[in-house]
Amino acid sequence: MAANIKVEVCDSAEAVASMAAAKFADLVRAKANAVIGLATGSTPEQTYAELAKMHRQQDLSFAAVTAFNLDEYWGLDGDHDQSYRHFMNSNLFDHIDIRPWNTHVLNGKAVNPALECAGFEAKILSVGGIDMWLLGIGPNGHIAFNEPGSPVDSRTRLVNLTQTTIDANSDGRFFKDASEVPRCALSAGIGTIREARSLVLLATGSKKADAIAAAVDGPFSPDCPSSMLQDHPDCTFIVDAEAASGLKR
Ligand code: GLP
């Protein structure tokens, strides 16, 4: 398949963060009430630091912005230090002027997960859809917590995590031990993500090289969830040279 994915290869992880932050800043400057999608993980941390700096030093305002996050660990309270709500507050939301009530992170302790997920989808629709969604990628090609095998039309739902993902998130950066990692998560679906008008996926480091190669040059297949972005009309991967090292071009 002739991939539509535009790939920007940067010299460094810092350059990846600057380019990604500039894309979101441009959007917010052009459309004050933009609806943005956000991601967690180590990769976007620097992008969030850049956006917080632009808020402090360049008056970039998020006061009218609405944000939705990709996913949340099932069973973790928002106050848990490994919850994605906590990550977003401490890495971004606490450092900008976004209104807390305009930040939407799925509730990992919801009494009824199906209702929680349906409410999340309804909220996205009610604000007119997502203008630009920031994504990371797992070493197995997952996006959000859509593991290999996730259907192209999947919606926000409760999912099981694979051992690869559990291991990747307990390598000392986040959870100290695999036994601490929840086995399930609430995750926006591939279909949910594909409906965003623009997608920006970040990857740095050699551990992501195989996943990036499979996503960009491999077949469009649920075996590599991120490959199912290939027919999106506006999808950019911003990667460093190490993450790009497996690409054909
Ligand atoms: C987790 C998240 C993903 C993220 C991935 C990669 O599995 N659910 O949304 O893309 O980690 O994270 P990192 O950037 O830390 O490699």
Side-chain angles (χ1 to χ4, degrees), residues 24 27-28 31 33-39 65-71 102-106 117 119-135 144 155-156 187-200 232-235:
F24 279 83
L27 168 69
V28 169
K31 183 179 178 187
N33 64 345
V35 181
I36 58 175
L38 300 171
V65 167
T66 300
F68 290 88
N69 258 82
L70 286 170
D71 44 19
N102 288 335
T103 67
H104 303 283
V105 183
L106 287 151
C117 294
F120 180 83
E121 294 263 353
K123 189 80 198 172
I124 293 175
L125 279 182
S126 78
V127 294
I130 291 180
D131 291 307
M132 188 179 283
W133 209 328
L134 184 70
L135 305 169
R155 311 302 309 184
T156 307
S187 177
I190 304 279
T192 320
I193 294 167
R194 282 167 51 93
E195 282 168 12
R197 288 182 273 282
S198 175
L199 296 171
V200 178
H232 192 281
D234 182 1
C235 177

Side-chain angles (χ1 to χ4, degrees), residues 116-197:
E116 173 69 11
C117 294
F120 180 83
E121 294 263 353
K123 189 80 198 172
I124 293 175
L125 279 182
S126 78
V127 294
I130 291 180
D131 291 307
M132 188 179 283
W133 209 328
L134 184 70
L135 305 169
I137 187 169
N140 62 358
H142 78 226
I143 41 175
F145 273 130
N146 294 285
E147 300 283 30
S150 300
V152 66
D153 57 357
S154 48
R155 311 302 309 184
T156 307
R157 67 211 185 287
L158 183 61
V159 295
N160 294 315
L161 305 187
T162 61
Q163 194 59 44
T164 317
T165 296
I166 291 167
D167 293 343
N169 288 313
S170 57
D171 61 1
R173 292 170 307 151
F174 298 115
F175 295 91
K176 288 188 197 70
D177 190 274
S179 65
E180 294 173 16
V181 184
R183 268 38 191 170
C184 299
L186 299 178
S187 177
I190 304 279
T192 320
I193 294 167
R194 282 167 51 93
E195 282 168 12
R197 288 182 273 282

Side-chain angles (χ1 to χ4, degrees), residues 18-163:
S18 303
M19 191 180 284
K23 269 187 167 286
F24 279 83
D26 287 352
L27 168 69
V28 169
R29 287 204 172 97
K31 183 179 178 187
N33 64 345
V35 181
I36 58 175
L38 300 171
T40 52
S42 306
T43 316
E45 282 174 359
Q46 235 171 324
T47 303
Y48 295 150
E50 282 285 324
L51 288 172
K53 195 163 121 191
M54 288 178 184
H55 169 66
R56 277 196 314 276
Q57 299 180 353
Q58 299 168 23
D59 289 337
L60 179 67
S61 176
F62 294 82
V65 167
T66 300
F68 290 88
N69 258 82
L70 286 170
D71 44 19
E72 179 60 283
Y73 286 111
W74 180 240
L76 296 196
D77 198 85
D79 290 335
H80 190 287
D81 65 358
Q82 291 304 331
S83 73
Y84 285 167
R85 160 56 75 182
H86 178 81
F87 175 100
M88 289 311 304
N89 288 349
S90 55
N91 280 281
L92 183 64
F93 299 152
D94 288 351
H95 309 288
I96 58 176
D97 60 345
I98 196 164
R99 306 300 187 231
W101 53 90
N102 288 335
T103 67
H104 303 283
V105 183
L106 287 151
N107 177 5
K109 294 277 263 187
V111 175
N112 182 334
L115 206 60
E116 173 69 11
C117 294
F120 180 83
E121 294 263 353
K123 189 80 198 172
I124 293 175
L125 279 182
S126 78
V127 294
I130 291 180
D131 291 307
M132 188 179 283
W133 209 328
L134 184 70
L135 305 169
I137 187 169
N140 62 358
H142 78 226
I143 41 175
F145 273 130
N146 294 285
E147 300 283 30
S150 300
V152 66
D153 57 357
S154 48
R155 311 302 309 184
T156 307
R157 67 211 185 287
L158 183 61
V159 295
N160 294 315
L161 305 187
T162 61
Q163 194 59 44

Side-chain angles (χ1 to χ4, degrees), residues 205-225:
S206 56
K207 282 185 189 161
K208 301 293 172 69
D210 289 348
I212 291 295
V216 175
D217 295 327
F220 182 105
S221 163
D223 292 345
C224 176

